[in-house]
Amino acid sequence: MPVPDVASALAPLTTLRLGGPARRVVEATSAAAVVEAVRDADAAGEPLLLLGGGSNVVVADEGWPGTVVRVASTGREVLRRPDGSVLLTVEAGEEWDDVVAAAVADDLGGLECLSGIPGRTGATPVQNVGAYGVEVADLLVDVDLYDRGAGAVRAHVPAAELGLGYRTSVLKGRDDAVVLRVRFALPGDAASAPIRYPELARALGVQPGARVPAAAARGAVLGLRRGKGMVLDADDHDTWSAGSFFTNPVLAEADVPDGAPRFPAGPGMAKVPAAWLIEQAGFRRGHPGPGGRAARSGQHVLARTHRGGATAADLLALAREVRDGVREAFDITLGAEPVLVACAL
């Protein structure tokens, strides 16, 4: 059974520590409880917001005028297949970095480049979470969903049906399908995925394409993320963020600004680092917004951080300043990566 009315305050349930209250918060500690809570809200005609770790959301100061279902289901299963590979099944409410750490501890490589990413597992296919050259799409087999329109659970929905792309899927921005559990295929050995990201290869002292012990890759990834303020620390306001606030724009090759780094993104297309555009537009790390209550991270120009006493409006004003500055400098409009709940840029 879901546990009703944990608390109405949403700010403590997000990594930004921002946002107003909900009318009601229900914590659902199993897949069945998630389904029951969603069905109850739908039957009551309540506006519904699904929340996991709160790491990729900005909640309006006005809060949410209905029910929030906090997905807190737990459980992992490792199944070794005849070919030596492993099928890893994870409940949606498992903390993502705990899943990665457990896989590495079990000598299972493949997920280690996704270390240190906050949030819960159910959100990873929605966002097609990725870092350091690896994306969830590389490993995802299928998901179990609750289809709100049909009022039924759909088991084993293949990854190919989810429209996985750069930080997106057909699930993103929709509220009619609720992820209940996720399955990944791992190679079954203790070696990392091929090291594709040059910065990570340098940190490990290997050439791009090499495989290293998964534990070594995880350690290097965590070190790089800490150096950018991207590992959550309750005592460090520079980590009170929603991670990278802007996605890297994908542009036609002809539209890439002169001198900009670029990465292949399909025929005739290139992905340009949003961080480069922001810095070239004149924005620097640590620059505060009005009153200094929200600021750009002192370690990572892509992150907007909560310095204490801020509102969601403060944070969004700072994000708009950056978006508008990049648009003026390059005629490129950056898109927000977090989900904006009852608010907009």
Side-chain angles (χ1 to χ4, degrees), residues 6 16 39 68 144 150 152 188 193 212 224:
V6 173
L16 274 166
R39 281 177 172 161
V68 172
D144 294 350
V212 302
L224 290 170

PDB file of all heavy atoms in Angstrom, residues 6 16 39 68 144 150 152 188 193 212 224:
ATOM      1  N   VAL A   6       3.151  12.029   3.262  1.00  0.00           N
ATOM      2  CA  VAL A   6       4.454  12.077   3.922  1.00  0.00           C
ATOM      3  C   VAL A   6       4.747  13.497   4.364  1.00  0.00           C
ATOM      4  O   VAL A   6       5.159  13.752   5.489  1.00  0.00           O
ATOM      5  CB  VAL A   6       5.544  11.578   2.944  1.00  0.00           C
ATOM      6  CG1 VAL A   6       6.918  11.783   3.530  1.00  0.00           C
ATOM      7  CG2 VAL A   6       5.309  10.111   2.621  1.00  0.00           C
ATOM      8  N   LEU A  16      17.771  20.780  -5.729  1.00  0.00           N
ATOM      9  CA  LEU A  16      17.894  22.239  -5.687  1.00  0.00           C
ATOM     10  C   LEU A  16      17.384  22.826  -4.374  1.00  0.00           C
ATOM     11  O   LEU A  16      17.666  23.981  -4.061  1.00  0.00           O
ATOM     12  CB  LEU A  16      17.110  22.874  -6.833  1.00  0.00           C
ATOM     13  CG  LEU A  16      17.828  23.008  -8.168  1.00  0.00           C
ATOM     14  CD1 LEU A  16      16.839  23.317  -9.282  1.00  0.00           C
ATOM     15  CD2 LEU A  16      18.914  24.071  -8.102  1.00  0.00           C
ATOM     16  N   ARG A  39      -3.468   5.336  -9.801  1.00  0.00           N
ATOM     17  CA  ARG A  39      -4.881   5.063 -10.076  1.00  0.00           C
ATOM     18  C   ARG A  39      -5.793   5.870  -9.150  1.00  0.00           C
ATOM     19  O   ARG A  39      -6.822   6.405  -9.592  1.00  0.00           O
ATOM     20  CB  ARG A  39      -5.156   3.564  -9.904  1.00  0.00           C
ATOM     21  CG  ARG A  39      -4.714   2.720 -11.080  1.00  0.00           C
ATOM     22  CD  ARG A  39      -4.961   1.247 -10.811  1.00  0.00           C
ATOM     23  NE  ARG A  39      -4.704   0.445 -12.005  1.00  0.00           N
ATOM     24  CZ  ARG A  39      -4.475  -0.862 -11.981  1.00  0.00           C
ATOM     25  NH1 ARG A  39      -4.467  -1.516 -10.829  1.00  0.00           N
ATOM     26  NH2 ARG A  39      -4.258  -1.509 -13.105  1.00  0.00           N
ATOM     27  N   VAL A  68       1.436  14.410  -5.497  1.00  0.00           N
ATOM     28  CA  VAL A  68       2.771  13.995  -5.919  1.00  0.00           C
ATOM     29  C   VAL A  68       2.968  12.558  -5.477  1.00  0.00           C
ATOM     30  O   VAL A  68       2.800  12.240  -4.291  1.00  0.00           O
ATOM     31  CB  VAL A  68       3.867  14.888  -5.314  1.00  0.00           C
ATOM     32  CG1 VAL A  68       5.253  14.312  -5.611  1.00  0.00           C
ATOM     33  CG2 VAL A  68       3.760  16.305  -5.861  1.00  0.00           C
ATOM     34  N   ASP A 144       9.212  -1.882 -17.821  1.00  0.00           N
ATOM     35  CA  ASP A 144       7.817  -2.123 -17.495  1.00  0.00           C
ATOM     36  C   ASP A 144       7.164  -0.779 -17.208  1.00  0.00           C
ATOM     37  O   ASP A 144       7.736   0.047 -16.471  1.00  0.00           O
ATOM     38  CB  ASP A 144       7.675  -3.025 -16.266  1.00  0.00           C
ATOM     39  CG  ASP A 144       8.177  -4.439 -16.498  1.00  0.00           C
ATOM     40  OD1 ASP A 144       8.456  -4.793 -17.662  1.00  0.00           O
ATOM     41  OD2 ASP A 144       8.311  -5.183 -15.505  1.00  0.00           O
ATOM     42  N   ALA A 150      -4.817   3.299 -20.496  1.00  0.00           N
ATOM     43  CA  ALA A 150      -5.427   1.970 -20.546  1.00  0.00           C
ATOM     44  C   ALA A 150      -5.704   1.416 -19.159  1.00  0.00           C
ATOM     45  O   ALA A 150      -6.445   0.429 -19.025  1.00  0.00           O
ATOM     46  CB  ALA A 150      -4.510   1.014 -21.305  1.00  0.00           C
ATOM     47  N   ALA A 152      -3.511  -0.100 -17.299  1.00  0.00           N
ATOM     48  CA  ALA A 152      -2.906  -1.430 -17.262  1.00  0.00           C
ATOM     49  C   ALA A 152      -1.388  -1.326 -17.269  1.00  0.00           C
ATOM     50  O   ALA A 152      -0.810  -0.344 -17.771  1.00  0.00           O
ATOM     51  CB  ALA A 152      -3.369  -2.256 -18.461  1.00  0.00           C
ATOM     52  N   GLY A 188      28.974  -8.747 -18.627  1.00  0.00           N
ATOM     53  CA  GLY A 188      29.170  -9.877 -17.732  1.00  0.00           C
ATOM     54  C   GLY A 188      30.569 -10.032 -17.200  1.00  0.00           C
ATOM     55  O   GLY A 188      30.863 -10.987 -16.474  1.00  0.00           O
ATOM     56  N   ALA A 193      33.052  -0.274 -20.034  1.00  0.00           N
ATOM     57  CA  ALA A 193      32.728   0.002 -21.427  1.00  0.00           C
ATOM     58  C   ALA A 193      33.940   0.680 -22.066  1.00  0.00           C
ATOM     59  O   ALA A 193      34.771   1.272 -21.368  1.00  0.00           O
ATOM     60  CB  ALA A 193      31.518   0.926 -21.501  1.00  0.00           C
ATOM     61  N   VAL A 212      39.143  -0.639 -19.243  1.00  0.00           N
ATOM     62  CA  VAL A 212      39.905  -0.683 -17.996  1.00  0.00           C
ATOM     63  C   VAL A 212      39.025  -1.364 -16.949  1.00  0.00           C
ATOM     64  O   VAL A 212      37.834  -1.588 -17.183  1.00  0.00           O
ATOM     65  CB  VAL A 212      40.299   0.738 -17.528  1.00  0.00           C
ATOM     66  CG1 VAL A 212      41.113   1.455 -18.596  1.00  0.00           C
ATOM     67  CG2 VAL A 212      39.058   1.555 -17.163  1.00  0.00           C
ATOM     68  N   LEU A 224      36.281  13.250 -11.608  1.00  0.00           N
ATOM     69  CA  LEU A 224      35.996  14.326 -12.561  1.00  0.00           C
ATOM     70  C   LEU A 224      34.722  15.069 -12.186  1.00  0.00           C
ATOM     71  O   LEU A 224      34.667  16.306 -12.249  1.00  0.00           O
ATOM     72  CB  LEU A 224      35.883  13.755 -13.971  1.00  0.00           C
ATOM     73  CG  LEU A 224      37.179  13.251 -14.608  1.00  0.00           C
ATOM     74  CD1 LEU A 224      36.889  12.496 -15.888  1.00  0.00           C
ATOM     75  CD2 LEU A 224      38.140  14.408 -14.865  1.00  0.00           C
TER      76      LEU A 224
END
